[in-house]
């Protein structure tokens, strides 16, 4: 059974903390993505990676960074968490080419207080 | 400009009836794929159905079908014989090919509630 696994389902962090969201996939996918989901706004792309150590900014990269040291793992980093980063974060992966579907993790609901 | 537009924030349907969820898209790329995902209240995104831009026939997967009208750039999801378990958020998405980098772009979603 193919899997994308996010390290936490729920997180509560304090303003100013450095936050790490981890994502692991076991499908040997080249592409990995981090999306943010807010009510009424759908899924917005934060960053994506098409290969190890490669990363590209998405639509809303401000306040975030990413790391991809191994093909199967893609980390999202909030350098200094703020309350406006309270949201649902979804990790996804897919093959690099073609029109196959993306596979998603279960999501991390992050609350910054 | 939004690449994927879902104009129905919320929809209601009676159990066992059919419902259509609207999706229009914007691309100049001749090669693209269109997807629908379901997100129940638990949060996971479930892939439902896919339509390629060169596919001649509308895609179908069980009770799901995609009404693809290329000239109108619409890709509506039709759910036949709705069930209570169909209550969820539904997202339309697109991956562009030759001009893009195959990154999935999503609409804002439609919340479907199925009444008994």
């Amino acid at each position: 059974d193919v899997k994308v696994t996010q390290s936490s389902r729920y997180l509560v962090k304090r303003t100013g903390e450095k936050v790490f969201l981890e994502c692991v996939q076991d499908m040997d996918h080249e592409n990995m993505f981090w999306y943010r989901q807010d009510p009424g706004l759908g899924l917005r792309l934060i960053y994506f990676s098409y290969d190890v150590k490669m990363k590209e900014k998405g639509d809303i990269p401000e306040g975030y960074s990413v790391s991809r040291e191994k093909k199967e793992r893609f980390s999202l980093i909030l350098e200094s968490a703020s309350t406006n980063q309270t949201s649902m974060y979804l990790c996804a992966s897919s093959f690099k080419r073609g029109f196959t579907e993306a596979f998603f993790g279960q999501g991390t609901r992050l609350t910054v207080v | 400009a939004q690449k994927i537009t879902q104009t129905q924030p919320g929809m209601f349907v009676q159990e066992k009836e059919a419902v259509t969820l609207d999706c229009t898209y914007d691309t100049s790329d001749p090669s693209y794929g269109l997807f629908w995902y379901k997100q129940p209240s638990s949060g996971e995104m479930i892939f439902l159905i896919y339509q390629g831009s060169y596919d001649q026939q509308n895609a179908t997967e069980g009770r799901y079908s995609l009404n693809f009208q290329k000239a109108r750039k619409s890709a509506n999801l039709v759910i036949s014989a709705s069930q209570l378990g169909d209550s969820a958020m539904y997202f339309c998405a697109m991956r562009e090919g030759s001009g893009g980098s195959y990154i999935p772009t999503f609409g804002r979603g439609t919340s479907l509630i199925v009444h008994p």
Side-chain angles (χ1 to χ4, degrees), chain A residues 10-48:
Chain A
Y10 299 95
L11 272 180
V12 180
K13 296 292 181 181
R14 294 195 181 278
T15 301
E17 274 193 80
K18 190 168 186 176
V19 181
F20 292 86
L21 303 184
E22 307 285 346
C23 176
V24 178
Q25 52 98 1
D26 65 0
M27 293 165 281
D28 203 32
H29 284 160
E30 299 91 353
N31 284 350
M32 295 190 75
F33 310 91
W34 276 105
Y35 291 91
R36 172 176 170 159
Q37 182 181 4
D38 298 290
L41 297 179
L43 278 70
R44 294 180 292 167
L45 182 66
I46 304 172
Y47 268 98
F48 75 97

Side-chain angles (χ1 to χ4, degrees), chain A residues 9 31 33 35 37-38 40-43 45 48 59 88 90 94-107 109, chain B residues 31-33 35 37 39 41-45 47 50 53 89 91 95-98 100-109:
Chain A
R9 193 71 193 267
N31 284 350
F33 310 91
Y35 291 91
Q37 182 181 4
D38 298 290
L41 297 179
L43 278 70
L45 182 66
F48 75 97
D59 300 317
M88 169 72 98
L90 291 165
S94 74
F95 289 113
K96 191 171 186 175
R97 295 292 178 188
F99 298 115
T100 55
E101 71 270 28
F103 292 83
F104 282 82
Q106 76 276 31
R109 191 166 292 281
Chain B
S31 180
Y32 53 90
F35 304 80
Y37 290 84
Q39 186 183 43
S41 57
S42 54
E44 77 273 25
M45 295 282 280
F47 164 70
Y50 161 79
S53 59
M89 283 291 293
F91 291 95
R95 292 183 79 178
E96 295 166 282
S98 53
S101 52
Y102 297 92
I103 300 168
T105 305
F106 288 81
R108 298 190 175 195

Side-chain angles (χ1 to χ4, degrees), chain B residues 6-106:
Chain B
Q6 295 180 253
T7 56
Q8 307 153 313
M11 289 283 286
F12 296 88
V13 66
Q14 203 76 24
E15 194 179 8
K16 299 180 185 177
E17 291 186 350
V19 62
T20 298
L21 306 184
D22 294 341
C23 173
T24 57
Y25 60 92
D26 182 24
T27 181
S28 56
D29 199 322
S31 180
Y32 53 90
L34 296 157
F35 304 80
W36 277 92
Y37 290 84
K38 172 184 178 181
Q39 186 183 43
S41 57
S42 54
E44 77 273 25
M45 295 282 280
I46 302 166
F47 164 70
L48 295 177
I49 196 167
Y50 161 79
Q51 180 84 41
S53 59
Y54 295 117
D55 293 343
Q56 296 296 314
Q57 293 190 321
N58 289 340
T60 60
E61 290 287 347
R63 293 186 299 110
Y64 304 107
S65 61
L66 200 153
N67 184 359
F68 181 47
Q69 298 188 39
K70 195 170 183 176
R72 297 178 64 183
K73 293 189 174 178
S74 80
N76 298 339
L77 177 70
V78 181
I79 306 174
S80 63
S82 298
Q83 301 172 355
L84 296 178
D86 293 334
S87 293
M89 283 291 293
Y90 288 82
F91 291 95
C92 180
M94 176 172 64
R95 292 183 79 178
E96 295 166 282
S98 53
S101 52
Y102 297 92
I103 300 168
T105 305
F106 288 81

